[in-house]
Amino acid sequence: VTAMWEALGAKLLTMTADDHDHQVAAVSHLPHLVAVLLAHTADDMGPLDLASSGFRDTCRLALSNPEMRRDIVMANRKPRGEALDRLASRLNELRGLVRKGKDVGLLDLFTDAQVIRREWEASREES
């Protein structure tokens, strides 16, 4: 089976089911949950008259099938909960930097995120 997938150009990763669930919670399911919350938060703060490409791009996943998303989250709640806990911690960190006017901390956070994103993009190009 491995040879067949490799012959088709697939990059195979071997991991435990727990490792898979942990990683997928962060890179697949958490973005769906964040998109849902972003859409609700933006709507809570007023009409969406000024929304444009940033809102469109970051909320795209909120268009996904609600029943399917619910089922995915409910199917394995523990890793999804852990991803949300980590996000909440990061959000609290960001909120503190903004409220305290810590511009250097914000710049570091933004720069680190840019590096993470660029490294991920580069790794995709190598595959």
Side-chain angles (χ1 to χ4, degrees), residues 28-70:
S28 180
H29 305 137
L30 186 61
H32 280 268
L33 299 172
V34 170
V36 167
L37 294 180
L38 180 58
H40 279 285
T41 302
D43 188 58
D44 290 346
M45 293 184 69
L48 301 178
D49 298 339
L50 298 177
S52 75
S53 59
F55 181 79
R56 179 199 65 216
D57 294 346
T58 56
C59 288
R60 180 184 60 81
L61 294 173
L63 294 170
S64 298
N65 182 294
E67 291 85 6
M68 180 186 68
R69 281 198 321 254
R70 179 208 52 212

Side-chain angles (χ1 to χ4, degrees), residues 37-104:
L37 294 180
L38 180 58
H40 279 285
T41 302
D43 188 58
D44 290 346
M45 293 184 69
L48 301 178
D49 298 339
L50 298 177
S52 75
S53 59
F55 181 79
R56 179 199 65 216
D57 294 346
T58 56
C59 288
R60 180 184 60 81
L61 294 173
L63 294 170
S64 298
N65 182 294
E67 291 85 6
M68 180 186 68
R69 281 198 321 254
R70 179 208 52 212
D71 293 347
I72 288 170
V73 170
M74 296 304 292
N76 200 346
R77 293 188 310 268
K78 185 177 181 218
R80 281 27 155 218
E82 291 171 1
L84 287 167
D85 289 345
R86 286 178 184 249
L87 178 67
S89 176
R90 291 288 189 171
L91 185 57
N92 284 331
E93 174 189 1
L94 176 59
R95 180 174 45 210
L97 293 171
V98 170
R99 287 194 171 155
K100 294 174 185 171
K102 303 282 187 176
D103 61 327
V104 173

Side-chain angles (χ1 to χ4, degrees), residues 97-117:
L97 293 171
V98 170
R99 287 194 171 155
K100 294 174 185 171
K102 303 282 187 176
D103 61 327
V104 173
L106 278 173
L107 183 59
D108 289 345
L109 191 67
F110 295 159
T111 302
D112 291 347
Q114 186 181 61
V115 168
I116 292 165
R117 179 60 169 79

